[in-house]
Amino acid sequence: TTTTTTTTMTKGIHKPLLDGDQGEGCDCAAGCGDLKMPATKISNCSDVDVDEDEDMQMQMQMQDDTRNSKVSTAVLFASSSSSSSSSSSRRLKSKSEPKSNNDNDNDKSAVAVDPDAAKKYIKSLQDGVKKRTFPLSQIPKQEQISTGRTIKPLKAWKGHWAALREFLQNTIDHLHLMDGVTGRRQGCIQMNVVTPSNNNNNNNNKSKKSTKNDHDFDLASISFTCNREDICKINISTDEVVIDQLYTYPIASRALDTGVPDCTKSSSNSQAGGFGDGFKTAAVALIANSKKKNEFKSLKWSFYARKECTTIEWDFVGSTREKVATFEKCQVLQVNINKRSMKSTEEDEILKYHNQSVASVGKGRGCSGCDYIMRQTIAVKGIGKSFLSEAIPRLIVFWDLNEPSLLSMRSKSTRICGGDFIGPIDLQPPLFNGVLGNSLKIKSGVFVKGIYVRPTKIKDAIMAFFGDRLEVSGRDRNEIDEDELIHAVTQLIGKCNNITYLNELLLPLRGEQIEENNETSQNSKRRKRITNNNSAIGTKSWLLQSPRFFNRVIEVQKDFIIHTVFQIPIGALFVSKKTTDSKDPFINWSASFLAKHGAPLISIAKGANRFLFEEVDRYELTEKCVSILKQLEKDRRNSKGKSNQTQTIFRKLFTFMGTGRAKIVFSPEIAVAFVHENSIFIPETSTISRDIIVKVLNVCHSQLEGSNGENYSCLLQSIFEKVPATSRDFDTELSAQVIDRAKEVLKEQKNFLVNTTKEPVKVSHSVVKPGKTSHSIISIDSDDDETKKITESSASSSKNRKPSRNEQLVPTTLAHLEDQIKNVTKAVTSKKRTQDGESKADAIIPESLFEDDNAGNDTCLRPSSSLVKVDVSTAFGGGSVWFDKSSAEKVKSGKFNNHARIALMRNILEEAKRMVISSIPSTSDLLQRVMVGYDAKNDTYEAFCDGHQIIVNLFSYMPKLTSLSPSLSSHRTLIHDFVIMVTHELAHFLEPHAGHGPIWRDTHMKMMLEVMKHLEGSK
């Protein structure tokens, strides 16, 4: 059967018809009522003028074309493609300015190709030919070149896709079919798809013989043209693919050398590669994978040099190498090169391209595309079907995209889109507008420079990147670095060209929203749950289909998403709804105070992304208020007078109480008094009354650390004696009198205690005997403004009490040590030895617990910090770590930088624990109580045991970590240090009241001896 195309020409009307097609009425403004072909889109027939003489010529030409080619043609346009490839369509002239063009809006007519862009593109191809020109006389008439590639199956090159990728990549890059600025096909290039007529009428008839004689293909033919001139043509048959690429000078045989660099590849960021090693590996793969089934027929490259009337053929074959010594018999890839004069049939074939080139470029305007043509002929069983089903969906050059559905990067040029884009495959049109079947669709995946690399990281999405933002890694060009991919995606998100669309896609991250319900009343509200299944556009938010991957994007672009995309003010704090609904006076005041100073409190909706909207707790809320108040106080610091006097007064009072580091801040901004760390924040008052002083001292005594209770009570007594209840002017003179009187009261109280003892004792640290009263005689220097901290100490139990019988029985054998371990293990597993019953796993470990180490007069007691248990990510080694408060805040805010060192040291510590368990298996239960700590404020202690767990301070070991190598063999010294430290603290655990005395030393030494025996036996 033959499908012919006829064209009806009238003044101002262009309506091509297909034979047998009923067509439909023309909807032009003229209302002509004629029939038109649905596939041809002319938006307004009255806007088109056609010269009548040209009409007749075009009509006759089209009739000749349809007689010679029994095919039906579908024309697809590039982003700037302008018109149909038919000669009649190209000759139309528009009276009005062309409308703005949209690639995927099939209801709009195509806009004319930019002639300047077309000329510039053709000029670049001509320059490329000049750059690659060399005397063809250098090529011998016959030559056999061995590539040195052994023909054997390659695991990553199974099937036909990998080989087709390499061949097509050479073609796409050599002809610059892809635009490195937009990441799409060149705007001046049109893509035409042709299918044999018998395929349209009878899909079951796939006889190659009946069609190839007429059309040189039996599946499809794809051509790329620029300004009516062919640039590339691909004829696809069931078992053969023929690629004709024009403007391609014969390639020198140097390209067959292994590892030879192509300078065009290294000098361009918009090309995936040049004629390098890839095509040789592709040839090996095709031959090797088809060897058993005898599917490989031939692989030939033909170069036609019309000006020199020369043909050069490359034939890729397998050459047998016989067995030599231990080297097996095998085949290697060999290329047979033959140079000869061009045949007449080849000249006739080139003449078809020549006529188009002359019509497009004109005579005397440099070389034309047909002057130098390269033809790749790939004959492998099933290669044509693989080309359609595997290659076309994986190469962007064949695509026409639905641009409004994509997230594209803003371009620096005047073009609409950037080179990088992400989009859903479900919203993309079928390839070639369905001409080859609606089932032929784009494949989701990660694309680099227009070529598929690996499966997508976002479900059912295209992730395409151009330029040098993302490079292919791996020997087989099928992998990318995930960190680089994250960086590329975050760059795209941050430079997105459509923030409104991005907002719609990311809206589910905000969770449950409040909307106006106009159906009931204007002021009423209803809750609308926006989940990942529903976005603002009523479909699934394709961008959020892979939460694990996108959460990493959020880590980098968190501020951009919150403030730019969602338009949330900078400085806003996110709190739970429970916090915003709280009736706590401080919460209510802080909300209004922070909003006034550019940090409003925003309630986190139900279902909101927890990585994007991190809730602040009361401590962080207080800290934010304090930072603003300190800045306000700094601005007012220039004003001297009563405020400075007030600070001096309270500093003297706090010093006497033992809290000299405490500060008091009066501010008119404060409505509710509160405490943060060592500072007390009080509403500003014009006078300082006795009532205010007493309240501040009460807060200082109850909320701040270091307050001495005895000094506090003496100071209160002095205030009530010296300051009248009606006093409103507490100045420095009066404060000095109050402190002097408090010192006197303190002396009186001490003298009172001494006089009541039955037998005065002059030593402050003594053994308490029955019937006696202990006391301490402490002198107070009345001339010193800062009173020393007064403490009462009791005698050390390990030093002053009589040793028990059990303590006299020092374990001198391993059996005694094992019994002690067994008894302690039984006790800790049957009783709750923690101070709080082990019910508060996340409780703060105060400094006082360090003293439970009971290390006697030795140097185990060092400066320490309160530790907070923090759940950490795998970057820290997982689980939990006890941090000091400052480090804990850095970890939660993501500003902590030592996570790699901590993870490595935890592995080293685990190795030390395994070494101890291997030496003394009975310690396995006890060693589970060894916890990891990080006290960045103190490096003077390595670990401590508080009676129910052992905390190891990794910070003190940081200087000993001289290498970041993950190999434990390079950290043997540090492992031995950890063994000594663990057994040291384990001995305290076994003998909690022995301090560093002989019982503890004996226990520690027994364990160390067992470890050394084990190490010697394992050599």
Side-chain angles (χ1 to χ4, degrees), residues 245-508:
Q245 59 185 76
L246 286 73
Y247 290 101
T248 305
Y249 196 83
I251 301 173
S253 58
R254 279 284 316 280
L256 295 172
D257 295 343
T258 299
V260 61
D262 187 342
C263 60
T264 59
K265 174 180 178 180
S266 59
S267 62
S268 175
N269 286 331
S270 62
Q271 293 187 9
F275 286 95
D277 281 351
F279 73 89
K280 287 166 275 187
T281 307
V284 169
L286 283 179
I287 298 174
N289 294 338
S290 307
K291 189 181 296 184
K292 292 184 179 180
K293 300 180 181 179
N294 197 27
E295 296 175 350
F296 179 80
K297 303 300 181 183
S298 65
L299 173 61
K300 295 181 179 180
W301 285 5
S302 302
F303 301 93
Y304 303 108
R306 188 176 67 88
K307 288 186 176 182
E308 291 82 357
C309 199
T310 301
T311 299
I312 301 170
E313 293 182 339
W314 287 16
D315 189 7
F316 295 80
V317 296
S319 177
T320 303
R321 297 287 189 270
E322 298 297 331
K323 179 179 179 180
V324 177
T326 58
F327 296 100
E328 295 289 341
K329 178 181 179 180
C330 65
Q331 279 193 325
V332 297
L333 180 65
Q334 177 176 296
V335 181
N336 298 328
I337 301 178
N338 181 30
K339 185 178 73 171
R340 55 177 172 79
S341 298
M342 189 178 296
K343 298 178 181 179
S344 58
T345 55
E346 296 171 341
E347 291 179 356
D348 293 339
E349 197 166 359
I350 292 176
L351 188 60
K352 298 178 183 178
Y353 292 119
H354 173 68
N355 293 334
Q356 292 180 345
S357 298
V358 171
S360 173
V361 180
K363 296 181 179 180
R365 298 186 184 179
C367 70
S368 62
C370 66
D371 288 343
Y372 299 102
I373 300 176
M374 174 184 177
R375 170 171 290 177
Q376 302 181 60
T377 304
I378 311 167
V380 179
K381 186 177 181 180
I383 191 71
K385 293 182 179 179
S386 298
F387 189 97
L388 295 178
S389 62
E390 298 178 21
I392 290 177
R394 288 180 168 95
L395 294 169
I396 297 179
V397 73
F398 296 108
W399 298 358
D400 288 288
L401 296 166
N402 176 14
E403 295 293 347
S405 69
L406 305 178
L407 280 178
S408 299
M409 180 178 288
R410 290 193 303 271
S411 174
K412 295 180 180 179
S413 70
T414 57
R415 295 181 182 273
I416 297 174
C417 304
D420 299 353
F421 62 88
I422 305 176
I425 60 171
D426 295 338
L427 299 181
Q428 306 309 314
L431 290 168
F432 309 123
N433 240 5
V435 171
L436 299 180
N438 291 330
S439 61
L440 188 60
K441 295 184 178 181
I442 293 170
K443 181 175 179 60
S444 65
V446 180
F447 294 77
V448 177
K449 297 178 181 176
I451 301 174
Y452 176 90
V453 177
R454 57 149 296 137
T456 183
K457 288 290 186 176
I458 300 177
K459 184 180 178 183
D460 298 330
I462 313 158
M463 306 175 71
F465 304 92
F466 239 87
D468 56 359
R469 277 177 289 274
L470 188 64
E471 296 291 345
V472 178
S473 61
R475 176 182 176 184
D476 299 310
R477 303 173 58 83
N478 58 358
E479 194 51 73
I480 47 94
D481 183 82
E482 184 162 345
D483 290 336
E484 290 184 3
L485 178 62
I486 293 291
H487 177 72
V489 173
T490 54
Q491 289 289 310
L492 191 155
I493 295 293
K495 299 179 181 179
C496 173
N497 65 345
N498 192 339
I499 296 297
T500 302
Y501 182 42
L502 181 61
N503 187 4
E504 292 175 351
L505 293 174
L506 298 183
L507 198 59

Side-chain angles (χ1 to χ4, degrees), residues 109-155:
S109 60
V111 182
V113 173
D114 182 0
D116 293 334
K119 290 179 181 179
K120 183 178 179 181
Y121 173 70
I122 295 296
K123 181 66 167 54
S124 68
L125 295 180
Q126 294 172 346
D127 293 340
V129 171
K130 293 180 181 179
K131 186 185 299 183
R132 295 174 174 86
T133 299
F134 67 96
L136 296 183
S137 59
Q138 295 180 2
I139 301 176
K141 289 186 177 181
Q142 288 187 345
E143 187 178 10
Q144 292 181 345
I145 298 179
S146 175
T147 63
R149 303 292 186 94
T150 302
I151 297 177
K152 58 182 179 180
L154 303 175
K155 184 177 180 181

Side-chain angles (χ1 to χ4, degrees), residues 806-807 809 811 820 824 853-854 985-995 999-1000 1003:
N806 291 333
E807 291 175 331
L809 298 176
Q820 183 70 354
V824 174
D853 198 27
N854 196 20
E985 299 300 334
L986 197 58
H988 283 308
F989 201 94
L990 296 173
E991 300 293 342
H993 301 293
I999 296 178
W1000 171 86
T1003 304

Side-chain angles (χ1 to χ4, degrees), residues 515-526:
E515 288 189 344
E516 293 286 342
N517 187 0
N518 296 325
E519 297 178 359
T520 55
S521 64
Q522 186 174 359
N523 296 327
S524 65
K525 294 183 178 179
R526 63 183 176 87

Side-chain angles (χ1 to χ4, degrees), residues 636-668:
R636 293 193 292 261
R637 193 167 293 172
N638 293 331
S639 60
K640 298 180 180 180
K642 192 166 185 176
S643 59
N644 293 333
Q645 180 182 345
T646 303
Q647 292 288 348
T648 303
I649 293 173
F650 278 99
R651 184 166 57 250
K652 290 183 177 182
L653 296 177
F654 293 155
T655 301
F656 181 83
M657 289 179 57
T659 56
R661 293 183 299 171
K663 296 181 181 179
I664 187 167
V665 178
F666 288 93
S667 174

Side-chain angles (χ1 to χ4, degrees), residues 55-313:
D55 290 349
M56 294 300 296
Q57 296 176 5
M58 289 187 293
Q59 186 173 0
M60 294 175 63
Q61 181 65 38
M62 291 183 64
Q63 291 174 356
D64 292 339
D65 292 341
T66 55
R67 284 193 295 269
N68 295 330
S69 178
K70 302 175 182 180
V71 297
S72 61
T73 304
V75 183
L76 301 176
F77 300 94
S79 58
S80 299
S81 289
S82 42
S83 55
S84 168
S85 62
S86 65
S87 60
S88 59
S89 175
R90 289 194 297 261
R91 303 289 290 276
L92 298 180
K93 303 173 183 178
S94 177
K95 289 181 179 180
S96 60
E97 291 292 327
K99 298 180 180 180
S100 61
N101 141 44
N102 188 321
D103 299 338
N104 306 284
D105 190 352
N106 295 327
D107 296 330
K108 294 182 180 181
S109 60
V111 182
V113 173
D114 182 0
D116 293 334
K119 290 179 181 179
K120 183 178 179 181
Y121 173 70
I122 295 296
K123 181 66 167 54
S124 68
L125 295 180
Q126 294 172 346
D127 293 340
V129 171
K130 293 180 181 179
K131 186 185 299 183
R132 295 174 174 86
T133 299
F134 67 96
L136 296 183
S137 59
Q138 295 180 2
I139 301 176
K141 289 186 177 181
Q142 288 187 345
E143 187 178 10
Q144 292 181 345
I145 298 179
S146 175
T147 63
R149 303 292 186 94
T150 302
I151 297 177
K152 58 182 179 180
L154 303 175
K155 184 177 180 181
W157 290 68
K158 291 183 179 180
H160 298 147
W161 153 242
L164 288 172
R165 175 192 66 201
E166 296 302 321
F167 296 137
L168 287 169
Q169 172 187 303
N170 291 338
T171 299
I172 294 169
D173 288 346
H174 192 86
L175 298 177
H176 303 287
L177 296 180
M178 292 294 292
D179 187 344
V181 176
T182 66
R184 280 78 163 172
R185 193 167 57 244
Q186 289 280 1
C188 60
I189 292 180
Q190 296 172 309
M191 182 176 66
N192 307 321
V193 181
V194 178
T195 58
S197 59
N198 68 320
N199 279 9
N200 293 334
N201 295 318
N202 186 3
N203 291 330
N204 295 325
N205 182 10
K206 299 183 179 180
S207 173
K208 180 177 179 181
K209 184 176 180 180
S210 63
T211 59
K212 185 160 185 187
N213 291 337
D214 295 332
H215 309 299
D216 295 328
F217 62 91
D218 61 20
L219 292 179
S221 178
I222 304 172
S223 61
F224 298 91
T225 62
C226 177
N227 197 19
R228 299 176 294 170
E229 179 183 2
D230 277 326
I231 304 298
C232 178
K233 189 173 185 179
I234 306 173
N235 290 336
I236 309 166
S237 300
T238 304
D239 298 328
E240 184 181 80
V241 174
V242 180
I243 305 172
D244 284 355
Q245 59 185 76
L246 286 73
Y247 290 101
T248 305
Y249 196 83
I251 301 173
S253 58
R254 279 284 316 280
L256 295 172
D257 295 343
T258 299
V260 61
D262 187 342
C263 60
T264 59
K265 174 180 178 180
S266 59
S267 62
S268 175
N269 286 331
S270 62
Q271 293 187 9
F275 286 95
D277 281 351
F279 73 89
K280 287 166 275 187
T281 307
V284 169
L286 283 179
I287 298 174
N289 294 338
S290 307
K291 189 181 296 184
K292 292 184 179 180
K293 300 180 181 179
N294 197 27
E295 296 175 350
F296 179 80
K297 303 300 181 183
S298 65
L299 173 61
K300 295 181 179 180
W301 285 5
S302 302
F303 301 93
Y304 303 108
R306 188 176 67 88
K307 288 186 176 182
E308 291 82 357
C309 199
T310 301
T311 299
I312 301 170
E313 293 182 339

Side-chain angles (χ1 to χ4, degrees), residues 685-703:
T685 177
S686 58
T687 59
I688 303 178
S689 63
R690 187 179 75 177
D691 185 51
I692 291 177
I693 295 173
V694 172
K695 288 180 178 179
V696 170
L697 295 181
N698 286 338
V699 170
C700 181
H701 177 63
S702 60
Q703 300 291 330

Side-chain angles (χ1 to χ4, degrees), residues 796-798 850-856 861 945 988 992-996:
S796 173
S797 59
S798 61
F850 283 61
E851 299 180 2
D852 292 343
D853 198 27
N854 196 20
L861 294 180
C945 172
H988 283 308
H993 301 293
H996 284 149

